[in-house]
Amino acid sequence: MALLEKIEELLNEVNNLKAQNSEEIEQLRLKYLSKKGEINALMADFRNVAAEQKKTIGIKINELKQTALQRINDLKEKLAEAEETAEKPDLTRTAYPVTLGTRHPLTIVKNEIIEIFSRMGFTLADGPEVEDDLHVFTKMNFAADHPARDMQDTFFVEINPDDVAKNIILRSHTSSVQARVMERTQPPIRVICPGRVYRNEAITARAHCFFHQIEGLYIDKDVSFTDLKQVMLTFAKELFGPDTKIRLRPSYFPFTEPSAEMDISCHICGGVGCGFCKHTGWVEILGCGMVDPNVLELCGIDSSVYSGYAFGLGVERITNLKYQVSDLRLFSENDTRFLEEFEAAK
């Protein structure tokens, strides 16, 4: 009976086997199932068992052996499943700590501008960067021989000599979004159109072949230049401070008439005059004007009923004014030393 007790004791041990890794599982296999293991050692005592008990004890030993084998196989399967689901190390990952980034300065300024105009009732509008000549130039009242159509200024993707309006280009301004909005929407319209634009220019500290614009459009009945001036003044004060002043200088754009360039009082010197504002006390920030009636008609809006204003500004230009960045190329070079300077910004 002592042999039966030993078998039961081993069976209880086997049922509670645990292992954390393959080495521990192998040690358990050797302990219980090898030639010098616990179960094989029972066969020496089995020879001395009385004949009438051999059948009962033999069945118990076989049960113990099968249980041990099954338990060890179960441990192997569980370990394999755990290793398969465990996160594998990325051997291509840098050994250096990965630092947290910050918003790009252009994104910071763009979001601030959008938020200001959103509070004044403007909604966001978007359009394709790869556009056709019809929406970029024709519907914006550009003459067929306007210099902006020249390949020196515009990136042409596909040229259609038989129909200029079907030329495929990289948009040179986000006014194309305004054209698409006016095509599918009847006034009142109040939108801002942020986006990337492209121009065939040499890359220098003061110019780039791509940059970012935000253009605005408001069309309704009885819209006047006074409305435009008040919106521009509010925008300038919100962005640069409550003491900011503006002035509007006559200018020319094909899609607005009358047109104006808008300056703000230099926020560096307070309008007294400094090197930043070239000692004038004023800094140009955007162009604006009343939407030309031809543009309204080309886009399917009755110019005898509706009028409107439009404005456009460069995000890089505004960012330069706010943070005094001297080289436009820094915005697209992903130099982390430059980007880390804006960690404290919104």
Side-chain angles (χ1 to χ4, degrees):
M1 295 302 292
L3 183 58
L4 281 175
E5 291 177 358
K6 188 172 183 180
I7 293 172
E8 290 294 336
E9 183 180 336
L10 288 174
L11 185 61
N12 185 56
E13 286 182 17
V14 166
N15 283 324
N16 292 282
L17 292 182
K18 294 180 180 179
Q20 299 296 324
N21 51 54
S22 57
E23 288 80 7
E24 291 183 5
I25 293 174
E26 179 61 15
Q27 290 299 319
L28 292 174
R29 186 192 71 80
L30 293 175
K31 178 180 180 181
Y32 292 102
L33 295 173
S34 66
K35 288 184 178 180
K36 295 181 179 181
E38 299 277 359
I39 296 175
N40 208 43
L42 293 174
M43 299 308 296
D45 296 332
F46 182 70
R47 297 189 186 95
N48 301 322
V49 173
E52 63 273 12
Q53 292 182 332
K54 281 187 178 292
K55 182 177 180 181
T56 301
I57 293 177
I59 291 174
K60 289 288 186 180
I61 292 175
N62 284 333
E63 181 183 343
L64 172 62
K65 185 175 182 179
Q66 292 300 318
T67 301
L69 184 62
Q70 182 62 45
R71 182 59 183 162
I72 288 173
N73 286 337
D74 288 345
L75 290 174
K76 288 180 179 180
E77 289 180 6
K78 287 182 179 180
L79 181 62
E81 290 176 1
E83 290 176 349
E84 186 175 346
T85 57
E87 182 179 355
K88 292 187 172 77
D90 182 1
L91 299 180
T92 65
R93 184 175 178 178
T94 176
Y96 300 101
V98 178
T99 57
L100 292 177
T102 182
R103 290 192 183 277
H104 194 280
L106 295 180
T107 301
I108 294 170
V109 173
K110 182 189 73 172
N111 289 344
E112 187 175 357
I113 294 171
I114 290 173
E115 195 271 335
I116 291 171
F117 282 111
S118 294
R119 294 203 309 266
M120 290 190 280
F122 288 82
T123 59
L124 285 176
D126 195 12
E129 294 183 11
V130 181
E131 260 287 11
D132 54 41
D133 183 289
L134 178 67
H135 291 91
V136 175
F137 294 129
T138 304
K139 292 207 171 187
M140 287 290 107
N141 201 36
F142 282 78
D145 58 351
H146 194 283
R149 295 177 182 268
D150 194 290
M151 291 186 69
Q152 298 302 315
D153 295 318
T154 304
F155 285 107
F156 282 77
V157 178
E158 180 181 328
I159 298 176
N160 295 276
D162 298 330
D163 190 350
V164 175
K166 292 183 180 179
N167 284 341
I168 305 301
I169 62 179
L170 298 181
R171 68 184 182 190
S172 55
H173 50 202
T174 53
S175 300
S176 57
V177 182
Q178 297 180 19
R180 290 186 175 274
V181 170
M182 287 187 283
E183 276 183 341
R184 63 175 182 263
T185 310
Q186 283 299 304
I189 297 171
R190 195 195 299 255
V191 296
I192 51 173
C193 316
R196 181 180 293 181
V197 298
Y198 306 84
R199 292 185 188 172
N200 193 0
E201 297 182 0
I203 299 175
T204 67
R206 299 177 62 85
H208 212 293
C209 63
F210 72 85
F211 52 98
H212 300 79
Q213 281 187 337
I214 296 180
E215 297 198 21
L217 175 70
Y218 176 45
I219 299 175
D220 204 346
K221 295 178 180 178
D222 302 320
V223 177
S224 69
F225 203 94
T226 301
D227 299 317
L228 169 62
K229 182 179 178 181
Q230 187 58 48
V231 167
M232 294 296 96
L233 178 61
T234 302
F235 164 68
K237 287 179 177 290
E238 288 286 329
L239 190 62
F240 294 102
D243 295 330
T244 304
K245 299 179 178 62
I246 69 169
R247 73 176 183 182
L248 299 170
R249 294 178 288 105
S251 186
Y252 166 76
F253 303 109
F255 34 83
T256 54
E257 179 59 36
S259 303
E261 298 278 3
M262 189 180 99
D263 304 332
I264 62 167
S265 54
C266 180
H267 63 290
I268 304 298
C269 64
V272 176
C274 64
F276 187 77
C277 62
K278 299 179 181 178
H279 302 284
T280 65
W282 298 93
V283 181
E284 177 192 331
I285 67 166
L286 58 82
C288 59
M290 301 301 293
V291 179
D292 193 300
N294 289 338
V295 173
L296 296 176
E297 295 293 341
L298 288 168
C299 294
I301 295 175
D302 189 346
S303 62
S304 65
V305 177
Y306 297 103
S307 58
Y309 61 74
F311 57 87
L313 55 91
V315 179
E316 281 83 350
R317 175 67 171 163
I318 301 297
T319 306
N320 278 342
L321 294 177
K322 286 182 69 69
Y323 299 117
Q324 301 180 50
V325 179
S326 60
D327 193 332
L328 282 176
R329 292 170 292 192
L330 290 170
F331 290 131
S332 55
E333 290 179 348
N334 289 326
D335 188 331
T336 56
R337 295 169 300 177
F338 169 69
L339 298 176
E340 284 170 357
E341 296 178 15
F342 299 90
E343 286 182 345
K346 288 195 283 186

